[in-house]
Amino acid sequence: DPGDPADRKMAAMRGLVRDLLDRGQPMLAVCLGHQVLANLLGLRVDRRLAPYQGLQRRVDLFGTARRVGFYASFTPVSAEPVIATPYGRVELARDPVDGAVHALRGPGFAGVQFHPESVLSEDGFDVLHDLVTALVVEASPIAVVNPAQAG
């Protein structure tokens, strides 16, 4: 765990994430990056009562149950499943008990509090596939050329 996302040592990361948001550059933020992104979107980031170090959980990610691995001492929290931000509408996949935001997605960006690349994330590949595919499709519309219609 690299530390508190609000710490001033994180200024470079905050600047990078803000720049990507401002430019509309597609972005997938993981763990600390997710915390920074969530905070820039207006969410509060709290220290967990107990660290989530090497913890595997099944969580609901936008309507699909996924088994993922957490390695964090901090987490964004929200009482709402959807928030309005200067960057557009943002959907939150949150814990119904404590409001911990496990994932978020908005126009051109997504974030996950867990590590999809971890061996603890049994469904990590599927999570990455779903989120990255949505970012790529949204960012660059695919032109379909039918050779039969070409002159």
Side-chain angles (χ1 to χ4, degrees):
D1 184 358
D4 185 343
D7 191 289
R8 59 181 218 156
K9 294 183 292 186
M10 302 295 173
M13 180 172 245
R14 292 180 67 78
L16 172 65
V17 173
R18 181 177 287 114
D19 181 58
L20 292 172
L21 281 170
D22 289 344
R23 290 189 295 121
Q25 179 72 40
M27 166 181 39
L28 175 61
V30 175
C31 199
L32 176 61
H34 168 75
Q35 296 165 13
V36 170
L37 172 62
N39 190 243
L40 289 172
L41 294 172
L43 294 175
R44 193 179 78 235
V45 177
D46 290 347
R47 180 179 285 279
R48 295 199 65 88
L49 295 177
Y52 265 37
Q53 298 299 329
L55 177 70
Q56 184 185 64
R57 283 194 54 203
R58 181 171 296 282
V59 297
D60 181 324
L61 294 182
F62 310 110
T64 303
R66 302 287 193 190
R67 185 166 293 283
V68 296
F70 291 87
Y71 302 86
S73 298
F74 294 86
T75 190
V77 293
S78 177
E80 303 300 325
V82 177
I83 60 171
T85 76
Y87 301 99
R89 180 182 181 272
V90 178
E91 286 181 86
L92 308 174
R94 10 175 245 109
D95 187 298
V97 176
D98 65 5
V101 177
H102 301 309
L104 61 82
R105 61 185 179 188
F109 57 86
V112 293
Q113 181 55 68
F114 51 88
H115 280 265
E117 78 286 0
S118 167
V119 296
L120 291 178
S121 292
E122 293 175 13
D123 298 322
F125 179 80
D126 293 330
V127 170
L128 285 172
H129 175 270
D130 294 349
L131 292 174
V132 172
T133 298
L135 289 173
V136 170
V137 168
E138 185 178 306
S140 52
I142 299 170
V144 177
V145 178
N146 183 347
Q149 293 176 339

